Amino acid sequence: MVRAVMEDRFVRLGMKQIVGRAARMENTASIRVFDKLNMEFVEEFVEEGQYWVLYQVGR
């Protein structure tokens, strides 16, 4: 279902990239979802004292 929505965003809306971020690098559930969606790890970063990870998938 999620992959179909992502495909719709790429095709119908012409999006070139979808990004996702998860609070805390220890948030393994969100990171597993990114992995299942074939999203690639981009970077770790700190924002307002909170550690985040950034993932993306593109066309």
Side-chain angles (χ1 to χ4, degrees):
M1 172 84 171
V2 174
R3 287 184 192 197
V5 171
M6 290 174 63
E7 184 65 21
D8 176 69
R9 298 312 185 257
F10 286 128
V11 174
R12 188 172 57 87
L13 298 178
M15 293 178 70
K16 305 261 189 268
Q17 181 181 43
I18 297 173
V19 297
R21 68 181 198 171
R24 299 192 330 262
M25 294 168 284
E26 299 84 21
N27 189 344
T28 57
S30 292
I31 293 170
R32 276 196 304 273
V33 171
F34 296 150
D35 287 337
K36 287 181 180 183
L37 294 172
N38 295 321
M39 297 181 83
E40 296 178 14
F41 173 79
V42 177
E43 67 179 343
E44 300 172 359
F45 63 97
V46 178
E47 182 178 281
E48 296 183 9
Q50 180 95 6
Y51 289 90
W52 296 82
V53 290
L54 183 68
Y55 281 74
Q56 71 179 8
V57 64
R59 274 278 164 130

